[in-house]
Amino acid sequence: MIPKIYISVANGNLSTELKYLVNSQDKLFHLTDIDYTPTKGDKICLLPGVQLPRTKLKAFNDENGTKNVREASNADYIFASNKTFNEYFTSSGNHWYYKMTKSDLDKLTPYFSSILNVDPVDISDLKDIVEAHQTLHGEVECTIHYNWSTLNLIRDVIAKKKIELSSRWDDSITFNEIHPDFIEEVKFLKTQTIYDVSGLIASISAKNVVIDYEMYGQLKNMLNSNDTDNHVLAMEIMANSNIVESLLFIEMLFKEHSYEMYNCHTRNHVNFKSLCSMIAKQKYRYSTELDDIVKSLINFNVLTTDKLNLLMRHYNAEIMQTGNSTYFHVKTITVADIVHQTVNENYTYTIVDDFEPAVIEEETVEEEVVNTESLNLEDVVTEEVLVTEEEPSFELEVVNTLVEEEIAEEVIEEEEVLPVVEDTTEENNINPITTEEDGESEIDWF
């Protein structure tokens, strides 16, 4: 981690500092996903910004024989969240800095004294710092950063002396500055594996109930009711669910019923406050936008196309009304039927080109060569492989729709030949059960 040279000029004063700056688009350190399985004796360190309820964490430690430690250097597992990074930065937020090369700076410094009234001693100190920095870090051409007010002063020098600099002398970028008190700690953390806290949260709530689409519908009905007892029960179920596995439906319930939750006294219960803390709900604002749901799924690394499809099914009208947002963009525009009929063609206009997924190279697995001569064929057991059809991740039909109604609407495209059961005494033909409803025969599946 190399510091950057930062200069500022104001009222004839030139100051030169070494600052540890991080591009605001980059993470301070990488968060590694983990399917954490606790082992007795594990030492866990939670970095600043990780929000976990103490009661649940204590119960988890007591149950699994793990313990928390304050110092990351003493931990077996270090957990952090996306909020952790800001804890190590200065409180002033992002800094919009400009940058130039040492070659450009050398063209300007001869005029700092005469035009900007800078003390020659400060100019000499700047040159010494730049040369020492290049020597220490082996840089051929280091970069100097400066702020907006210094930029305007440099422009005055350029205009008066007609100095030609490189084309990118005033490029700008936003940085976060690491607080001086945390520099050594950050240097250490950059050498360690830092795990995403979602893996720990998943382990803590692994034994809790998972809210699926059907339960989401039941909880929605409870929150829609006028009975406050139903509201209390629904919020208790949410608070004690498997948060990671249930995250999509928890966020959807917050989006659709934030008013009922906020006006229910259960929001002050320790378990529900813990839920809000872990999924970053504000204390006095439960309202959740569609972008908030996607951001939450991204933060917990559980965003999939199945979940996007479900969000589209529920909120496509909202997306069409609001247009582009942080995570949803309008790709294609079409026209009304009257326009189609007038131009006599199916008209669409593409705004965003198709995304090209990154090509992931599959690892080639070498087949193991088995010496058949050493095998005892009598010990070989032939196993029957059962092929099962994987169930869809989400049931997208309306909640509480009867299965019998769905079967009645299906159109059977192919006939299946039912097996004939043979008996040694007599043959029994198995016939499909027929119904007289609508005058059609249907197969009654069991």
Side-chain angles (χ1 to χ4, degrees):
M1 194 168 64
I2 301 175
K4 302 182 185 299
I5 299 175
Y6 171 81
I7 65 172
S8 64
V9 181
N11 300 321
N13 296 317
L14 169 63
S15 63
T16 305
E17 303 175 69
L18 293 178
K19 292 188 175 185
Y20 286 87
L21 303 177
V22 180
N23 189 322
S24 60
Q25 300 300 317
D26 298 334
K27 292 184 177 180
L28 186 57
F29 38 75
H30 175 69
L31 296 183
T32 302
D33 297 327
I34 183 176
D35 186 11
Y36 177 61
T37 302
T39 303
K40 186 176 181 180
D42 282 352
K43 298 177 183 178
I44 299 172
C45 176
L46 304 180
L47 295 182
V50 173
Q51 297 177 329
L52 287 178
R54 293 182 178 179
T55 54
K56 289 189 176 182
L57 190 58
K58 183 179 184 303
F60 176 81
N61 288 334
D62 292 342
E63 180 181 355
N64 296 283
T66 57
K67 66 177 183 179
N68 284 62
V69 294
R70 290 189 176 183
E71 298 296 330
S73 57
N74 298 329
D76 300 311
Y77 294 90
I78 305 173
F79 290 98
S81 70
N82 287 328
K83 287 187 174 182
T84 298
F85 310 131
N86 290 334
E87 299 294 326
Y88 292 99
F89 297 142
T90 57
S91 59
S92 53
N94 290 349
H95 304 272
W96 195 283
Y97 288 154
Y98 300 84
K99 58 182 182 178
M100 70 169 66
T101 63
K102 176 182 178 297
S103 299
D104 286 333
L105 179 66
D106 289 340
K107 297 178 182 179
L108 296 169
T109 50
Y111 306 103
F112 275 11
S113 180
S114 59
I115 297 179
L116 302 180
N117 298 320
V118 172
D119 189 334
V121 175
D122 292 338
I123 298 175
S124 178
D125 290 342
L126 169 60
K127 292 180 179 180
D128 291 342
I129 292 174
V130 171
E131 291 178 2
H133 188 275
Q134 289 192 148
T135 302
L136 179 62
H137 300 290
E139 295 180 346
V140 177
E141 181 84 306
C142 70
T143 302
I144 290 82
H145 298 78
Y146 52 99
N147 58 21
W148 182 78
S149 60
T150 303
L151 170 69
N152 290 330
L153 294 175
I154 291 175
R155 283 174 174 166
D156 289 342
V157 174
I158 294 173
K160 291 178 179 179
K161 296 299 180 179
K162 301 187 182 304
I163 301 172
E164 292 186 5
L165 302 180
S166 62
S167 59
R168 305 185 64 178
W169 72 271
D170 58 350
D171 281 356
S172 61
I173 192 171
T174 55
F175 290 97
N176 289 306
E177 181 184 355
I178 300 176
H179 195 284
D181 294 343
F182 301 132
I183 291 174
E184 294 304 318
E185 183 178 353
V186 170
K187 287 181 178 180
F188 169 76
L189 291 174
K190 281 184 170 292
T191 66
Q192 305 298 304
T193 301
I194 312 298
Y195 296 103
D196 195 314
V197 73
S198 61
L200 178 59
I201 294 175
S203 185
I204 291 176
S205 61
K207 297 180 180 179
N208 295 352
V209 64
V210 175
I211 300 177
D212 57 11
Y213 195 82
E214 181 179 359
M215 183 178 290
Y216 156 76
Q218 295 170 352
L219 295 175
K220 183 175 176 62
N221 290 337
M222 294 168 68
L223 291 168
N224 272 330
S225 71
N226 295 324
D227 190 346
T228 55
D229 290 340
N230 283 339
H231 299 176
V232 171
L233 181 57
M235 293 169 67
E236 288 179 351
I237 293 174
M238 291 171 61
N240 292 283
S241 64
N242 185 319
I243 295 175
V244 176
E245 296 295 327
S246 311
L247 184 60
L248 172 62
F249 298 114
I250 290 175
E251 292 286 4
M252 290 173 64
L253 289 169
F254 267 102
K255 174 174 174 56
E256 297 165 8
H257 297 285
S258 59
Y259 179 82
E260 289 82 2
M261 295 181 194
Y262 186 81
N263 287 281
C264 180
H265 63 83
T266 305
R267 72 184 179 91
N268 295 316
H269 192 277
V270 61
N271 287 342
F272 194 80
K273 290 170 68 175
S274 298
L275 168 66
C276 294
S277 174
M278 284 188 281
I279 62 176
K281 294 299 175 190
Q282 297 181 20
K283 186 175 180 180
Y284 300 108
R285 181 180 177 272
Y286 288 170
S287 58
T288 302
E289 302 298 332
L290 189 55
D291 276 346
D292 297 330
I293 297 178
V294 177
K295 181 179 180 180
S296 179
L297 296 175
I298 292 175
N299 288 341
F300 278 85
N301 198 29
V302 292
L303 179 64
T304 63
T305 53
D306 283 339
K307 292 181 173 64
L308 285 175
N309 286 336
L310 191 141
L311 291 174
M312 288 294 183
R313 178 180 176 86
H314 276 259
Y315 307 116
N316 61 78
E318 177 181 333
I319 295 173
M320 288 189 293
Q321 183 177 3
T322 58
N324 286 353
S325 66
T326 302
Y327 296 109
F328 294 93
H329 292 175
V330 176
K331 175 181 174 60
T332 306
I333 298 176
T334 188
V335 294
D337 288 344
I338 183 64
V339 180
H340 281 140
Q341 295 169 5
T342 303
V343 299
N344 196 28
E345 66 176 85
N346 184 22
Y347 178 82
T348 59
Y349 183 81
T350 300
I351 299 175
V352 180
D353 294 332
D354 288 340
F355 171 75
E356 296 183 3
V359 178
I360 302 176
E361 297 182 359
E362 298 182 358
E363 297 182 359
T364 57
V365 181
E366 296 182 359
E367 296 184 0
E368 182 180 359
V369 179
V370 180
N371 185 1
T372 57
E373 295 180 359
S374 63
L375 293 178
N376 186 353
L377 297 180
E378 294 180 357
D379 296 335
V380 177
V381 179
T382 304
E383 296 182 355
E384 181 181 0
V385 180
L386 299 179
V387 179
T388 59
E389 181 179 348
E390 184 179 355
E391 295 184 359
S393 301
F394 298 99
E395 175 58 54
L396 298 181
E397 297 301 325
V398 179
V399 177
N400 298 329
T401 301
L402 298 178
V403 175
E404 290 80 4
E405 294 178 358
E406 296 179 0
I407 295 176
E409 295 176 357
E410 292 180 353
V411 178
I412 302 176
E413 297 180 350
E414 297 181 0
E415 295 182 358
E416 296 188 4
V417 180
L418 296 178
V420 177
V421 180
E422 294 184 359
D423 192 5
T424 55
T425 57
E426 61 181 15
E427 290 188 359
N428 296 321
N429 294 329
I430 300 178
N431 296 322
I433 299 175
T434 60
T435 60
E436 298 180 356
E437 190 179 17
D438 298 329
E440 296 180 358
S441 295
E442 293 185 350
I443 297 176
D444 197 353
W445 298 98
F446 294 92

